[in-house]
Every structure is written in C-alpha cells, then in structure tokens.
Amino acid sequence: MVPLLIGIIIAAAVFAAFLWSLYRAVMTTGRLRVNYAVMAISTLLVVAGITWNLAALTFAASVSLIVSAAIGVWADQKWSKLLPLVQMVLGVLSFFAATDVLIQGGLSTMLQNGL
C-alpha cells in the first residue's frame, strides 16, 4: 500500500509541475515562453519513454528536461522555483535510469558478439 501511495504522490508532483510549465508558457513572453514549452514537452516525452520502456527517448528527453528545468529554476521567483525543481529531479533520475539501460544493453550486445 505504501509504494502505491508514494507513486501517487510522485505522479501528482510531476503532473503539477507539468501544468505549471504550461501555465508559464502561456503567461511569459520571448525566450522564457519557448523554454517553458520545451520543459512541458520534455516532461511528456520523459513520462512516455519511461512508460513504453524506450531508453533512447527517455535519455534525450531527460537531457532536454534537465537543461530547460535549470533555466526555469533560474527564471522563477521564490516558491515558484519548486515545480521546475521537481522537473529537474525527474530529468536527473530518468537520465541515470536511461543511461543504465543503454549501457547494460550495449554491454550485453558486445558480450554476445564476442567483444
């Protein structure tokens, strides 16, 4: 029961951060608008990559999410930094997970082919 509740809390935090980046994409102008749009799209792609077990998509989207979330943390004021920070944590965790899967897949392919 506890893992289910933890999963619900994590999903709610990611969804709230996604909605915040959509809101900021509508309310800001210029380069920040593009950054928040990229952050929203990258969040969706990270979640889709994790759901469908696509390590390359997760890796690329997590790199994009880390960079755009860092800009979002820098650009937001006071408590508004919390939601881009949630997206940055999601990006970092998915980056390491995708990297691990890609390295293990590459190593197993090399071992099967006799290095």
Side-chain angles (χ1 to χ4, degrees):
M1 184 70 167
V2 173
L4 178 65
L5 293 176
I6 291 172
I8 290 171
I9 290 169
I10 291 170
V14 170
F15 186 66
F18 168 71
L19 289 179
W20 177 254
S21 60
L22 283 179
Y23 168 76
R24 295 292 291 166
V26 171
M27 297 306 291
T28 58
T29 58
R31 292 180 182 171
L32 282 178
R33 175 176 279 181
V34 173
N35 181 65
Y36 285 111
V38 167
M39 197 174 358
I41 293 168
S42 296
T43 302
L44 287 178
L45 289 175
V46 164
V47 171
I50 291 170
T51 301
W52 295 327
N53 200 20
L54 301 171
L57 174 65
T58 305
F59 180 81
S62 65
V63 170
S64 173
L65 184 59
I66 291 168
V67 172
S68 61
I71 295 169
V73 168
W74 172 78
D76 277 337
Q77 302 294 324
K78 297 183 182 180
W79 284 101
S80 299
K81 294 178 184 285
L82 181 63
L83 292 172
L85 193 61
V86 168
Q87 287 174 301
M88 185 184 296
V89 169
L90 172 69
V92 169
L93 292 176
S94 62
F95 173 80
F96 286 124
T99 303
D100 182 51
V101 169
L102 290 172
I103 289 173
Q104 285 182 1
L107 287 176
S108 70
T109 302
M110 286 174 34
L111 291 175
Q112 287 176 355
N113 293 334
L115 299 176

